Amino acid sequence: DSLSGLSNIESIFSFLKKYSIISEESELLMNYIDLEEYTKLISSKKTQIIALGGIISEKSNEAQQALWNVVSETGININYLSIENFTDEELDTLYKSLNYFEENETDIPMIFVVKNKQVLDSSLEILDKEGYIEFFKNNDLYCRQREQNGSKVE
């Protein structure tokens, strides 16, 4: 086996575990999702945080690192969908999944808060930990998710 051709975090993570480069007990900080799981999450009656990005884009890598820091520090549940290797059909499915995408500019990295197929808030601008924490606080997600995850609320 080699890492050649692996382009998503979960594949790389599994490879590293398989060859004992990292511990078997290691866990990914974010919930990495595919298009099928994304479709289920956006329809949820529970508020979801979804980040769109990739691993090749420098801006996406910067945003992903900041999100890892947020999750590590706060325990907030973030669902991450890497779209850079999507086929045209998959991108079409993604962009038709929410009216929001027809009415607003989209790019990666992007983060949005969604519930019942309604985007409650979004940002294309945030690339640092403090910005994401502020975004979550503004959407009343920071304290609520920390309480659900058993973390102490400040």
Side-chain angles (χ1 to χ4, degrees), residues 2-19 21-22 28 55-56 61 84:
S2 75
L3 279 173
S4 178
L6 294 180
S7 61
N8 71 48
I9 295 295
E10 288 180 313
S11 296
I12 294 168
F13 197 73
S14 293
F15 178 90
L16 295 173
K17 279 180 150 181
K18 179 179 179 179
Y19 292 100
I21 296 169
I22 60 175
L28 289 168
I55 62 171
I56 295 174
N61 283 331
E84 69 191 2

Side-chain angles (χ1 to χ4, degrees), residues 8 11 21 23 39 70 77 87 99 119 124 127 137 139 151:
N8 71 48
S11 296
I21 296 169
S23 166
T39 303
V70 170
N77 183 36
T87 64
N99 290 337
V119 175
L124 296 170
L127 294 175
K137 284 180 179 179
N139 284 285
S151 300

Side-chain angles (χ1 to χ4, degrees), residues 17-74:
K17 279 180 150 181
K18 179 179 179 179
Y19 292 100
S20 301
I21 296 169
I22 60 175
S23 166
E24 275 293 318
E25 289 79 38
S26 297
E27 294 182 6
L28 289 168
L29 290 174
M30 287 189 285
N31 182 30
Y32 289 87
I33 59 173
D34 59 17
L35 189 56
E36 183 178 334
E37 191 168 357
Y38 160 84
T39 303
K40 291 175 187 173
L41 289 172
I42 63 170
S43 300
S44 174
K45 293 179 181 174
K46 181 180 174 190
T47 302
Q48 302 290 333
I49 301 168
I50 298 178
L52 301 180
I55 62 171
I56 295 174
S57 160
E58 184 177 327
K59 284 178 69 175
S60 286
N61 283 331
E62 188 177 336
Q64 194 170 184
Q65 182 64 51
L67 289 169
W68 286 335
N69 290 334
V70 170
V71 173
S72 177
E73 183 177 304
T74 66

Side-chain angles (χ1 to χ4, degrees), residues 58-110:
E58 184 177 327
K59 284 178 69 175
S60 286
N61 283 331
E62 188 177 336
Q64 194 170 184
Q65 182 64 51
L67 289 169
W68 286 335
N69 290 334
V70 170
V71 173
S72 177
E73 183 177 304
T74 66
I76 288 176
N77 183 36
I78 299 172
N79 301 289
Y80 192 91
L81 179 63
S82 179
I83 66 170
E84 69 191 2
N85 291 321
F86 272 21
T87 64
D88 288 343
E89 184 179 317
E90 289 169 321
L91 285 172
D92 190 50
T93 300
L94 173 70
Y95 292 131
K96 288 181 178 177
S97 67
L98 297 168
N99 290 337
Y100 175 87
F101 292 129
E102 295 175 17
E103 302 163 0
N104 297 279
E105 178 184 350
T106 58
D107 197 1
I108 60 173
M110 176 185 182

